[in-house]
Amino acid sequence: MAHGEVLGFEEYVRTRQDALLRSARRLVPDPTDAQDLLQTALVRTYGRWDGIADKSLADAYLRRVMINTRTEWWRARKLEEVPTEQLPDASVEDGSDQRADRALLMDILKVLAPKQRSVVVLRHWEQMSTEETAAALGMSAGTVKSTLHRALARLRQELESRDLDMRALERGDHTMRYEGRERCAA
C-alpha cells in the first residue's frame, strides 16, 4: 500500500472511530467484544483499503466486515455450561427488559418496506444526518424526509395496534382488531 493510502486510512480511522465503535456496540453487547470486533474489522479493511475506489463508501464496507466477522465469531463460539453450587440471586438485573424492548423494535421494523427500514436505521440507529442518509441510499434529502415520516407513522400505528391487542388479551376478550379486520384469538 502506498504511503498516501496509509495516511488516508489513518485519517479515516481517526475521524470515524467513534461512529464505527457505536455500530460495533450494536452488533455485540459486551463493550470489550465491540472494541475487538472493530479492531478486527479495521485490520481486515486495512488490507483492502486501496481496493475501495469510492472512500465515501468505506463506512458501509467496514460495517459489512464487522457483520461478517461477528457471524464468524458466533459460528465458532463454544457453548459450554459451567455448573455452580449456588443459583444466582433472583434480583440480579439481567437486562431482559432491554432485550425485550430491542426484540419488539426488531419485530416491528419488519412491517416496514426495505427502503423505509433502511432510512429509519440510518437516521435513528446510525444517527446519520438527512444528507448523509440520502447519499448512502442514493436518494434526495426530501425523499429521505418523507420516507422517514411515513415509516415512523407506520411504526407508531403498529405499536398502538399491538398495545390494543395486549390490552384485549389482558381483559380476556376473545376477539381482537387486526389491521381493521376482526380476528379470533386462538
Side-chain angles (χ1 to χ4, degrees):
M1 186 181 308
H3 182 69
E5 290 289 325
V6 171
L7 292 177
F9 182 75
E10 289 175 0
E11 179 63 25
Y12 168 75
V13 171
R14 237 186 326 277
T15 58
R16 298 298 300 150
Q17 67 184 358
D18 291 338
L20 294 170
L21 184 57
R22 280 193 304 273
S23 294
R25 285 283 291 131
R26 290 183 189 103
L27 293 171
V28 293
D30 182 59
T32 304
D33 289 343
Q35 290 173 348
D36 289 344
L37 176 63
L38 177 58
Q39 185 67 33
T40 302
L42 287 171
V43 168
R44 290 179 178 182
T45 302
Y46 177 77
R48 303 222 183 247
W49 185 250
D50 53 353
I52 302 174
D54 186 357
K55 301 300 188 218
S56 67
L57 299 175
D59 276 7
Y61 181 88
L62 195 68
R63 285 188 180 105
R64 184 81 251 165
V65 172
M66 283 193 285
I67 290 168
N68 291 343
T69 302
R70 187 230 23 217
T71 302
E72 288 172 18
W73 289 357
W74 181 80
R75 288 179 180 154
R77 75 193 189 288
K78 291 183 180 179
L79 300 175
E80 297 178 8
E81 292 184 10
V82 179
T84 62
E85 293 291 324
Q86 274 186 310
L87 292 175
D89 186 15
S91 66
V92 173
E93 176 59 40
D94 63 357
S96 60
D97 288 340
Q98 288 178 329
R99 284 191 292 282
D101 288 346
R102 181 182 213 101
L104 173 64
L105 179 59
M106 296 305 290
D107 190 44
I108 66 167
L109 280 175
K110 292 176 186 174
V111 303
L112 298 178
K115 179 176 155 182
Q116 290 177 325
R117 192 175 325 129
S118 298
V119 169
V120 169
V121 168
L122 292 178
R123 284 288 288 129
H124 290 286
W125 267 359
E126 296 299 331
Q127 298 178 346
M128 293 176 130
S129 69
T130 301
E131 292 75 22
E132 291 170 331
T133 303
L137 297 175
M139 57 178 67
S140 71
T143 302
V144 168
K145 290 176 184 178
S146 63
T147 302
L148 180 63
H149 177 75
R150 285 191 304 276
L152 293 177
R154 178 68 180 103
L155 290 174
R156 272 188 224 94
Q157 177 187 16
E158 182 67 17
L159 281 173
E160 288 170 3
S161 171
R162 289 181 186 213
D163 188 44
L164 288 174
D165 287 350
M166 287 305 296
R167 281 192 249 151
L169 282 174
E170 289 169 359
R171 286 191 312 263
D173 290 352
H174 294 289
T175 59
M176 296 180 289
R177 297 195 45 84
Y178 182 71
E179 294 185 18
R181 296 183 305 271
E182 293 291 323
R183 69 178 168 129
C184 183

